[in-house]
């Protein structure tokens, strides 16, 4: 996931689960002789009890296992760096790990995560889960991870300031400028323009909105294309036209959310988590917010960037622990677990059937309403080299959006660098 939320936001939950959770969810440290199974994950927002009970249920159903949970920082970059160091060094002290949707190809290619195809046949995963997360978990016909929860980029709009959700980029710009003309000091459209992974998500959403693709038929990362040039020109134009403030170039998710939630913007691109924040008691925009798919050039519903996490198994652990780890993953990614994460933590289910479950509509109607958007979520390039090329993408995308380079020059530069890093120039 590309949220870069400050760790203190989730510190209370991390503490409530046991200072990194160096103990079993049942409160003890397990029976003598029990197999110790360690789950590395990022903290969830919300009350600790439902997740704690989900873990305790696994222990009750597997009496020979002591389950230990260890929380990671909520920064995706920090979590990724931890796994690079630990897995690259052959660490065997954890069994199940969370993996961002763009990490799975990298970890699988390095041999750091186990092939789970026997426990989770690819055809079964494709049948039960939404296509976006499956694309990130099933590689070359083998299952290397199982979707846990997902995120998708969406558009927020002020229902009291604009007539409806815009379907096209032209409508978005017109509605934003009209709202600005009526309300002094109002910003039009805020999004994530800082040089980090959030910017790449915004660029890819604009690329897809202009009819482009992230990968070619042979697996080449496509950048220097007409759709790519149009996408960067569109994002740059948001700044030069006054639709978006120049300060967007310093915004991540939370900076965008604060401006929007304080009532200082008509539109915002963000992740679904911002809905709950906007609707909290005391929020200036409570009851005045709508959410819709991102707009596109042609007006068809847009494709939000896929975020979220998969669960994978550390390839370095023993065969016995791998089997138990796969059993834990089946438990945590089950239909019932999807409902728990949706109802109590606002996490979007990756299982198709959950969206047809009346309990989801009853317990988490907002999550249920996201079905169209999550079904259309698309992954950034599913390549094992993604984290190798991410800094290059961010740098050149930022230069184009800031006006330091033309979209054409930026994309020619980044295409050459990416082709070199991925071996396409050989």
């Amino acid at each position: 996931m590309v949220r870069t939320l400050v760790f203190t936001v989730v510190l209370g939950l991390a503490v409530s689960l046991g200072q990194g959770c160096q103990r079993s969810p049942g409160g003890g440290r397990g029976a003598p002789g029990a197999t110790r199974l360690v789950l590395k994950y990022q903290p969830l927002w919300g009350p600790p009890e439902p997740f704690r009970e989900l873990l305790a249920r696994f222990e009750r159903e597997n009496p020979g296992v002591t389950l230990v949970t260890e929380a990671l920082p909520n920064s995706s970059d920090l979590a990724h760096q931890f796994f690079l160091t630990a897995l690259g060094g052959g660490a065997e002290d954890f069994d199940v790990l969370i993996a961002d949707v763009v990490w799975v190809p990298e970890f699988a290619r390095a041999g750091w995560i186990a092939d789970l195809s026997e426990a989770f046949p690819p055809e079964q995963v494709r049948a039960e889960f939404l296509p976006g997360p499956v694309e990130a978990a099933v590689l070359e016909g083998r299952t290397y991870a199982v979707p846990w929860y997902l995120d998708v980029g969406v558009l927020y709009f002020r229902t009291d300031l604009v007539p409806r959700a815009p379907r096209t980029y032209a409508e978005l710009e017109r509605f934003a400028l009209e709202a600005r003309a009526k309300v002094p000091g109002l910003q039009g459209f805020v999004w994530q323009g800082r040089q980090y992974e959030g910017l790449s998500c915004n660029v890819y959403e604009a690329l897809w909105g202009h009819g482009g693709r992230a990968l070619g038929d042979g697996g080449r990362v496509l950048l220097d294309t007409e759709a790519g040039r149009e996408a960067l020109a569109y994002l740059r134009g948001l700044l030069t036209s006054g639709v978006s403030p120049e300060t967007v170039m310093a915004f991540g998710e939370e900076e965008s959310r604060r401006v929007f939630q304080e009532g200082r913007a008509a539109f915002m691109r963000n992740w679904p988590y911002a809905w709950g924040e906007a609707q909290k008691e005391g929020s200036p925009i409570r009851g005045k917010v709508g959410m819709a798919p991102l707009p596109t050039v042609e007006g068809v519903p847009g494709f939000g960037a896929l975020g979220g996490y998969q669960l994978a198994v550390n390839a370095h652990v023993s065969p016995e622990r791998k089997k138990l780890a796969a059993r834990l993953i089946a438990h945590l990614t089950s239909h019932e677990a999807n409902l728990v994460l949706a109802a109590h933590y606002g996490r979007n289910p990756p299982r198709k059937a959950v969206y047809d479950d009346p309990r989801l509509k009853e317990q988490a109607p907002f999550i249920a309403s996201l079905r169209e958007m999550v079904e259309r979520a698309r992954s950034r390039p599913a390549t094992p080299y993604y984290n190798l090329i991410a800094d290059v993408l961010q740098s050149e995308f930022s230069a184009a959006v800031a006006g330091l380079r033309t979209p054409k020059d930026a994309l020619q530069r980044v295409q050459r660098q990416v082709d070199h890093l991925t071996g396409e120039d050989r």
Side-chain angles (χ1 to χ4, degrees):
M1 204 164 95
V2 297
R3 295 183 203 160
T4 54
L5 301 172
V6 180
F7 183 53
T8 52
V9 173
V10 295
L11 185 58
L13 178 57
V15 170
S16 72
L17 288 176
Q19 297 284 0
C21 305
Q22 300 292 334
R23 54 192 306 176
S24 69
R29 294 182 180 274
T35 300
R36 187 173 183 268
L37 201 63
V38 178
L39 165 67
K40 286 277 191 183
Y41 76 111
Q42 286 184 310
L44 302 167
W45 294 359
E49 292 80 10
F51 186 58
R52 186 180 292 155
E53 170 56 25
L54 185 64
L55 299 174
R57 193 185 314 154
F58 178 80
E59 282 196 331
R60 291 194 298 270
E61 294 171 356
N62 297 271
V65 176
T66 295
L67 179 57
V68 178
T69 56
E70 297 180 352
L72 297 161
N74 209 45
S75 163
S76 185
D77 289 342
L78 289 177
H80 180 252
Q81 188 58 49
F82 168 81
F83 286 128
L84 287 183
T85 302
L87 294 172
E92 301 177 6
D93 57 347
F94 59 92
D95 304 275
V96 177
L97 60 141
I98 52 101
D100 189 301
V101 294
V102 296
W103 301 350
V104 177
E106 175 190 16
F107 291 178
R109 182 175 183 271
W112 294 342
I113 54 178
D115 185 337
L116 301 176
S117 301
E118 183 176 346
F120 304 95
E123 59 274 14
Q124 177 184 332
V125 175
R126 290 192 180 96
E128 296 178 358
F129 292 87
L130 293 166
V134 169
E135 182 183 350
V138 177
L139 309 170
E140 298 180 354
R142 309 297 295 176
T143 303
Y144 287 95
V146 182
W148 194 22
Y149 58 83
L150 63 86
D151 245 342
V152 61
V154 297
L155 181 73
Y156 291 85
F157 62 98
R158 287 282 299 279
T159 56
D160 57 330
L161 297 179
V162 300
R164 57 173 171 80
R167 299 185 184 93
T168 66
Y169 294 133
E171 283 186 343
L172 170 65
E173 295 175 26
R174 186 173 79 250
F175 292 171
L177 292 174
E178 289 173 353
R180 291 198 67 198
K182 296 175 187 175
V183 182
L186 184 75
Q187 302 297 342
F189 177 35
V190 293
W191 40 285
Q192 296 76 53
R194 191 173 73 228
Q195 185 177 320
Y196 80 118
E197 193 58 25
L199 172 60
S200 295
C201 288
N202 281 253
V203 171
Y204 272 106
E205 288 166 350
L207 174 97
W208 298 322
H210 285 85
R213 294 190 298 161
L215 290 174
D217 293 336
R220 183 190 184 207
V221 178
L222 297 178
L223 294 157
D224 187 16
T225 64
E226 184 62 29
R229 291 186 284 273
E230 291 174 352
L232 288 178
Y234 158 68
L235 293 174
R236 175 61 186 161
L238 292 175
L239 303 182
T240 58
S241 66
V243 170
S244 297
E246 290 284 344
T247 51
V248 147
M249 291 295 299
F251 282 7
E253 284 87 352
E254 277 296 275
E255 291 83 2
S256 304
R257 185 193 63 79
R258 282 195 290 269
V259 169
F260 186 76
Q261 189 161 336
E262 290 166 1
R264 296 190 284 125
F267 293 101
M268 174 180 69
R269 181 272 176 205
N270 216 313
W271 307 93
Y273 86 98
W275 177 267
E277 298 296 307
Q279 302 302 334
K280 282 184 176 177
E281 189 171 348
S283 168
I285 59 173
R286 184 179 184 183
K288 302 175 183 177
V289 181
M291 193 177 63
L294 295 161
T296 60
V297 167
E298 301 294 336
V300 299
F303 302 92
L306 175 70
Y309 281 104
Q310 330 283 330
L311 292 176
V313 173
N314 183 351
H316 303 307
V317 302
S318 68
E320 178 192 3
R321 284 166 59 189
K322 283 177 185 170
K323 289 181 180 179
L324 289 172
R327 195 181 303 170
L328 175 60
I329 288 178
H331 176 76
L332 293 177
T333 62
S334 67
H335 187 111
E336 293 302 315
N338 271 210
L339 283 171
V340 169
L341 266 61
H344 298 284
Y345 303 101
R347 304 295 179 170
N348 306 303
R351 283 187 172 274
K352 300 175 185 177
V354 177
Y355 291 92
D356 295 320
D357 192 321
R359 291 176 294 172
L360 182 69
K361 298 180 176 69
E362 178 184 344
Q363 299 173 18
F366 166 69
I367 296 291
S369 73
L370 295 174
R371 181 170 190 160
E372 178 187 13
M373 286 167 263
V374 298
E375 287 179 340
R376 296 176 68 81
R378 288 185 176 179
S379 176
R380 287 154 284 165
T383 167
Y385 305 103
Y386 187 80
N387 285 288
L388 182 65
I389 67 176
D391 287 345
V392 177
L393 297 178
Q394 294 165 20
S395 176
E396 294 299 332
F397 290 165
S398 180
V401 174
L404 301 178
R405 275 192 269 280
T406 66
K408 179 179 179 181
D409 287 345
L411 291 175
Q412 287 179 343
R413 285 170 56 91
V414 74
Q415 188 72 73
R416 286 196 298 270
Q417 294 176 76
V418 167
D419 283 349
H420 177 70
L421 290 170
T422 58
E424 290 289 341
D425 62 349
R426 296 180 194 136

